[in-house]
């Protein structure tokens, strides 16, 4: 994470007072004074989150036209729609920090901004839809409960709204997997194959170990990160092992073992080389995801322009009527 | 779905992504603030924002984004730029909790026990 | 739906029953296929708000289709569920109008189609609220509310595209020109319609085609677009003679279900 020098010299007393507000659990609102660095960190974090919601629509949207029952078809469509909504809530929250959605989208499409790496993996079967809901939304929920208490008001409020809607997402994915796991042999095999491919990338969603995570300290100080990566990852593992056992699917980790002393499930080593590789752009779908978003954006330009032109004409008419 | 900020990748890493072309007049449209009134007599509450080119579209978008789960009996949409907001500096004179004005609080007034005031 | 006692469903003779199944499949298949086409936009719409809006309309339509397919299966009485009907009928057994199976095209094509279909559906559903079949009347009432909103949304976009820029005007006009030859089918009637109208099961509003034309003409005019001239109207969907597009659509829609016959999802 690059260390940026603050161009404007900020009064240390003001910064200290600001940090005291956060330490006291106060909420920072858009019109409040904030250090430039806080504004930049929040903008980066929130916009990345929003981008992730939008890009996340693609791997799941991939199976919308092939959902194998009407109920699943509607459920998946509602879920992907929710993700668009979540992205929208967070983009709007980010705009309160003084950046336009136009700029934010530019940043995503030109590579200046990032999105969660998990969405660079492909959905290869219907079971992947269940697995993504179970693992990826499951991991997100572990993160989200923390973010609902973030120090920045608009972010926290967006997260509260998102948490309410997530309940149905997590249940939907797990229910799909449970149905497959107790179905035909082909369905069972489909489910297990999806688990085998999505487990490790899902663990990587929590980021590197805290000792290798340079951002963490500052984000904790700013009240947007209240628990460490390792703690959150462990919580996710503990929850998910029980869920996998309940539906008789095997997590692809021969080292998974219950630790009596800690009450945690110890797990095997994560392939951080793969993590870095996907981060740098060599995941299976990095190019396709951005290409899809660029295509939608570019092909949609004439539509956006038309709407603006229409509104301008109507405004012009009203003005001349009033004159 | 959420994102850990530590596990993100971006387009630049894929190499060779050029700038995005901007058609003249292209924008994400102006911002509107959305206020939602839940059923049961509560007042309108700020729910968030939407982008739209006119009021009719803002209303439709607001309904689709903030009220599709049936949580609203009424929606207001307001262009963000016409909202006048206080600044924290205003907070002193406007929002002084008025500790020196106890007569504004019902506890100030003593009423004989057992008498119903309303 | 309300808890007040509904009139008992009328007893049906075989001919009426068969006609009713056909009719319900027509209504259902229109909505399932159109909803499916709309869902293809999710994640690819011109702006985030429209991803959400189009998904909303798609969900409404697929929801309506589900209720109608269920009713069709129950009426038929051969144990076919809504999923059996959706996923295990070939295109020759589908009864949707040709208009809805055409590829989604650009945003103008999608929006103009939605508008043209929506206005027709609105008038049809308005009349169906008086159906002597309580279940159908109920579905129609719910669908009418949703359709009113679809028409409002699509209508606003027709105005914006028609009277926006030169490019949007050109695309909207082209969409209208391409879709026009498929609009006639929306008002074609046959023995199925006659049987059900006579039995009070599928009441028809007065001059539905005329009122549709009047409403469409009004919006098209305000959008500075030209109403295409009537020519030969393509048809065949109600009899299961479709375009080449439906086969491909169903291949995609049905592949997972058909690959695992008998499986639960």
């Amino acid at each position: 994470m690059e260390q940026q020098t603050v161009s404007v010299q900020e009064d240390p007393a003001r910064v200290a007072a600001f940090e005291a507000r956060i330490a006291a659990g106060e909420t920072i609102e858009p019109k409040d004074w904030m250090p430039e660095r806080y504004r930049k960190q929040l903008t980066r974090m929130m916009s990345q989150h929003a981008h992730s919601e939008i890009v996340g629509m693609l791997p799941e949207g991939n199976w919308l036209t092939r959902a194998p029952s009407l109920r699943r078809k509607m459920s998946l469509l509602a879920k992907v729609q929710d993700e668009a909504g979540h992205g929208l809530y967070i983009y709007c929250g980010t705009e309160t920090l003084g950046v336009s959605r136009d700029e934010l989208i530019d940043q995503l499409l030109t590579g200046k901004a990032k999105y969660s790496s998990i969405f660079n993996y492909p959905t290869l079967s219907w079971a992947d839809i269940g697995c993504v809901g179970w693992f990826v939304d499951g991991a997100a929920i572990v993160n989200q409960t923390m973010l609902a208490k973030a120090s920045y008001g608009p972010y926290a409020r967006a997260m509260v709204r998102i948490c309410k809607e997530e309940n149905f997402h997590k249940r939907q994915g797990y229910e799909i997997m449970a149905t497959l796991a107790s179905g035909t042999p082909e369905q069972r095999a489909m489910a297990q194959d999806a688990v085998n491919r999505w487990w490790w990338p899902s663990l990587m969603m929590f980021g590197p170990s805290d000792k290798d995570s340079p951002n963490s300290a500052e984000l904790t100080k700013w009240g947007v990160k209240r628990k460490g990566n390792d703690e959150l990852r462990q919580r996710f593992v503990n929850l998910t092992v029980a869920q996998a056992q309940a539906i008789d699917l095997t997590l692809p980790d021969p080292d998974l073992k219950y630790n009596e002393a800690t009450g945690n499930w110890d797990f095997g080593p994560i392939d951080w080389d793969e993590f870095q590789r996907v981060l740098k752009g060599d995941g299976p779908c990095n190019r396709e995801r951005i290409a899809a978003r660029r295509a939608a954006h570019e092909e949609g330009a004439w539509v956006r322009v038309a709407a603006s032109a229409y509104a301008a004409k109507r405004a012009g008419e009203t003005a001349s009527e009033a004159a | 779905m959420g994102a850990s900020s530590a596990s993100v990748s971006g387009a630049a890493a894929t190499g060779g992504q050029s700038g995005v072309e901007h058609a003249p007049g292209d924008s994400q449209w102006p911002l509107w603030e959305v206020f939602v009134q839940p059923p049961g007599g509560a007042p309108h509450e700020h729910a968030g924002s939407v982008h739209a080119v006119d009021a009719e579209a803002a209303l439709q978008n607001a309904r689709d984004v903030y009220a599709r789960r049936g949580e609203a009996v009424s929606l207001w949409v307001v262009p963000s730029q016409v909202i006048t907001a206080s600044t924290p500096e205003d907070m002193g004179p406007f929002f002084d909790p008025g500790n020196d004005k106890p007569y504004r609080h019902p506890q100030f007034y003593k009423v004989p026990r057992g008498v119903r005031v309303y | 739906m309300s808890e007040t006692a509904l009139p008992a469903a009328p007893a049906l003779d075989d001919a009426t029953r068969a006609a009713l199944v056909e009719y319900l499949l027509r209504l259902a298949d229109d909505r399932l296929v159109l909803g499916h086409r709309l869902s293809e936009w999710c994640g690819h719409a011109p702006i985030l708000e429209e991803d959400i809006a189009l998904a909303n309309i798609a969900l409404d339509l697929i929801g309506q289709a589900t209720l109608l397919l269920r009713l069709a299966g129950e009426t038929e009485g051969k144990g076919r569920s809504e999923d059996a009907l959706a996923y295990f009928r070939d295109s020759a057994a589908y009864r949707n109008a040709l208009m809805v199976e055409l590829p989604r095209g650009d945003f103008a094509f999608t929006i103009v189609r939605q508008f043209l279909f929506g206005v027709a559906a609105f008038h049809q559903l308005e009349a169906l609220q008086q159906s002597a079949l309580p279940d159908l009347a109920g579905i129609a009432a719910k669908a009418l509310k949703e359709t009113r909103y679809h028409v409002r949304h699509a209508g606003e976009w027709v105005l914006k595209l028609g009277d926006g820029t030169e490019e949007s005007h050109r695309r909207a006009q082209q969409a209208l020109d391409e879709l026009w030859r498929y609009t006639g089918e929306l008002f074609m009637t046959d023995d199925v319609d006659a049987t059900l109208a006579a039995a009070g099961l599928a009441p028809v509003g007065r001059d539905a085609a005329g009122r549709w034309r009047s409403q469409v003409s009004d919006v098209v005019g305000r959008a500075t677009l030209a109403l295409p001239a009537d020519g030969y109207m393509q048809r065949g969907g109600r009899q299961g003679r479709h375009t080449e597009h439906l086969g491909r659509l169903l291949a995609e829609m049905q592949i997972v279900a058909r690959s695992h016959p008998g499986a639960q999802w």
Side-chain angles (χ1 to χ4, degrees):
Chain A
M1 175 69 202
E2 67 282 5
Q3 290 296 322
Q4 293 174 327
T5 48
V6 176
S7 50
V8 174
Q9 193 56 33
E10 287 163 347
D11 175 6
R14 261 198 130 168
V15 174
F18 175 82
E19 287 174 3
R21 289 192 64 201
I22 295 188
E26 284 183 35
T27 305
I28 311 298
E29 296 294 348
K31 294 244 181 287
D32 292 348
W33 183 87
M34 59 185 80
E36 255 322 288
R37 185 137 177 85
Y38 178 88
R39 185 185 298 278
K40 280 194 162 59
Q41 279 282 38
L42 257 300
T43 304
R44 188 185 57 85
M45 191 172 170
M46 290 172 73
S47 61
Q48 265 170 201
H49 192 166
H51 297 324
S52 296
E53 297 283 350
I54 302 313
V55 176
M57 293 169 69
L58 295 171
E60 288 183 303
N62 184 33
W63 283 87
L64 270 175
T65 52
R66 290 174 289 177
S69 79
L70 292 172
R71 184 168 157 253
R72 293 295 179 208
K73 197 177 179 78
M74 285 191 280
S75 218
L76 181 58
L77 184 50
K79 181 175 196 284
V80 179
Q81 181 192 44
D82 274 355
E83 274 143 34
H86 295 174
L88 194 152
Y89 302 154
I90 305 175
Y91 277 133
C92 289
T94 315
E95 290 189 85
T96 65
L97 287 167
V99 61
S100 74
R101 199 165 80 181
D102 302 70
E103 291 172 68
L104 294 172
I105 287 176
D106 258 18
Q107 287 169 6
L108 172 67
L109 300 182
T110 56
K112 291 204 199 73
K114 303 175 195 294
Y115 57 91
S116 185
S117 267
I118 190 69
F119 302 121
N120 290 316
Y121 289 85
T123 48
L124 300 177
S125 75
W126 172 251
D128 285 39
I129 296 304
C131 212
V132 164
W134 178 25
F135 289 170
V136 178
D137 281 275
I141 284 166
V142 169
N143 252 336
Q144 258 157 218
T145 331
M146 169 182 81
L147 288 172
K149 302 188 188 84
S151 61
Y152 189 55
Y155 196 19
R157 287 189 288 275
M159 291 314 306
V160 168
R161 187 172 272 278
I162 288 171
C163 284
K164 276 200 203 131
E165 295 177 359
E166 280 290 340
N167 278 328
F168 122 75
H169 294 188
K170 86 182 166 205
R171 217 174 297 152
Q172 192 205 142
Y174 187 59
E175 191 192 73
I176 290 173
M177 296 306 278
T179 309
L180 294 173
S182 61
T184 68
E186 290 79 18
Q187 285 178 305
R188 278 196 57 79
M190 198 199 296
Q192 185 60 60
D193 177 65
V195 165
N196 293 346
R197 284 180 286 103
W198 284 95
W199 175 245
W200 291 104
S202 298
L203 293 191
M204 295 175 201
M205 277 179 76
F206 295 93
S209 186
D210 294 307
K211 57 178 166 38
D212 302 315
S213 198
N215 252 340
S216 292
E218 188 169 50
L219 292 175
T220 310
K221 185 175 68 159
W222 291 138
V224 284
K225 190 177 175 62
R226 298 187 187 271
K227 297 222 192 305
N229 294 349
D230 295 319
E231 181 182 349
L232 293 173
R233 186 174 10 248
Q234 185 64 67
R235 177 178 303 182
F236 171 73
V237 172
N238 291 346
L239 283 170
T240 313
V241 168
Q243 292 165 353
Q245 288 175 335
I247 57 177
D248 198 24
L249 287 172
T250 309
L251 299 175
D253 182 357
D255 297 320
L256 208 47
K257 193 158 169 275
Y258 186 67
N259 185 322
E260 289 286 348
T262 62
N264 290 325
W265 281 86
D266 292 340
F267 50 93
I270 291 173
D271 182 357
W272 293 113
D273 284 344
E274 177 182 334
F275 176 68
Q276 290 298 334
R277 209 168 53 236
V278 178
L279 217 61
K280 285 181 172 49
D282 284 332
C285 299
N286 297 53
R287 286 161 183 77
E288 285 81 354
R289 298 300 181 225
I290 291 298
R293 290 309 307 156
R294 282 189 77 130
H297 185 77
E298 284 163 11
E299 284 159 26
W302 69 267
V303 179
R304 296 187 296 269
V305 173
S308 299
Y310 177 84
K313 288 187 204 180
R314 302 284 86 77
E317 282 169 4
T318 318
S320 55
E321 276 163 30
Chain B
M1 292 185 246
S4 163
S5 59
S7 66
V8 289
S9 53
T14 66
Q17 290 288 353
S18 59
V20 179
E21 289 193 21
H22 297 107
D26 184 15
S27 80
Q28 289 287 301
W29 304 332
L31 199 58
W32 298 68
E33 301 303 320
V34 178
F35 299 83
V36 172
Q37 182 180 38
H44 285 75
E45 196 178 273
H46 183 245
S49 337
V50 290
H51 291 253
V53 294
D54 57 30
E56 169 66 23
L59 211 53
Q60 288 183 22
N61 291 340
R63 178 223 190 238
D64 288 341
V65 176
Y66 294 103
R68 65 178 182 275
R69 284 174 156 88
E71 59 264 61
V73 297
S74 168
L75 291 174
W76 291 344
V77 292
V78 184
S80 306
Q81 62 182 28
V82 309
I83 293 184
T84 306
S86 64
T87 66
E89 290 69 50
D90 294 334
M91 276 180 71
F94 282 174
F95 298 117
D96 187 344
N99 286 328
D100 61 335
K101 299 185 174 68
Y103 49 79
R104 288 213 174 113
H105 296 268
Q107 295 89 326
F108 178 76
Y109 298 94
K110 287 189 174 24
V111 173
R113 256 184 236 281
V115 173
R116 292 178 66 107
V117 180
Y118 52 88
Chain C
M1 283 197 232
S2 79
E3 295 292 278
T4 56
L6 294 164
L12 303 172
D13 62 47
D14 287 347
T16 311
R17 180 180 300 275
L20 183 56
V21 173
E22 274 294 301
Y23 185 81
L24 291 171
L25 288 179
R26 291 173 181 181
L27 289 178
D29 291 345
D30 277 349
R31 284 151 181 79
L32 178 56
V33 173
L34 187 53
H36 181 96
R37 282 298 188 212
L38 273 177
S39 77
E40 293 172 0
W41 278 101
C42 209
H44 308 283
I47 197 166
L48 210 42
E49 281 77 2
E50 212 51 35
D51 271 310
I52 296 170
L54 293 179
N56 245 3
I57 298 175
L59 279 165
D60 283 348
L61 290 170
I62 298 170
Q64 293 169 19
T66 302
L67 294 175
L68 290 161
L69 285 176
R70 191 176 299 152
L71 186 56
E74 285 166 3
T75 307
E76 186 188 49
K78 291 183 180 150
R80 290 205 282 181
S81 68
E82 60 266 27
D83 283 334
L85 289 165
Y87 291 92
F88 291 90
R89 271 183 303 150
D90 290 336
S91 54
Y94 260 70
R95 296 291 181 259
N96 55 282
L98 301 180
M99 180 192 280
V100 301
E101 70 196 46
L102 304 172
R104 63 180 161 107
D106 66 4
F107 188 75
F109 191 88
T110 286
I111 277 301
V112 172
R113 169 169 58 192
Q114 198 61 46
F115 178 68
L116 295 173
F117 177 83
V119 177
F122 182 85
H123 292 296
Q124 184 181 26
L125 292 167
E126 207 172 35
L128 278 178
Q129 288 185 112
Q130 320 310 325
S131 170
L133 193 64
D135 284 340
L136 183 53
I139 294 171
K142 178 177 191 284
L144 185 68
K145 284 199 195 98
E146 294 171 348
T147 306
R148 183 177 286 125
Y149 191 75
H150 303 169
V151 172
R152 196 172 149 195
H153 187 84
E156 280 298 310
W157 268 112
V158 171
L159 295 178
K160 289 187 164 119
L161 297 184
D163 195 15
T165 60
E166 268 183 52
E167 177 172 10
S168 70
H169 180 96
R170 177 178 54 77
R171 288 175 183 257
Q173 187 65 61
Q174 185 169 346
L176 201 51
D177 293 341
E178 285 174 8
L179 284 161
W180 200 252
R181 67 180 63 89
Y182 296 99
T183 58
E185 188 178 24
L186 300 177
F187 305 100
M188 290 175 191
T189 59
D190 59 9
D191 290 342
V192 168
D193 301 283
T195 304
L196 296 175
L201 298 175
V204 180
R206 196 183 41 80
D207 193 21
R211 284 190 293 149
W212 173 88
R213 193 186 182 87
S214 168
Q215 193 173 344
V216 166
S217 174
D218 173 61
V219 172
V220 163
R222 280 161 52 208
T224 74
L225 294 164
L227 210 65
D230 282 349
Y232 178 76
M233 291 297 182
Q234 295 297 322
R235 67 203 68 194
R238 303 299 187 203
Q239 290 73 38
R241 279 191 317 276
H242 291 276
T243 69
E244 291 177 349
H245 301 296
L246 186 64
R248 274 193 293 277
L249 182 155
L250 291 180
E252 196 172 316
M253 193 180 96
Q254 298 177 342
I255 178 70
V256 178
R258 286 196 188 243
S259 301
H260 305 263
Q264 298 301 307
W265 300 102

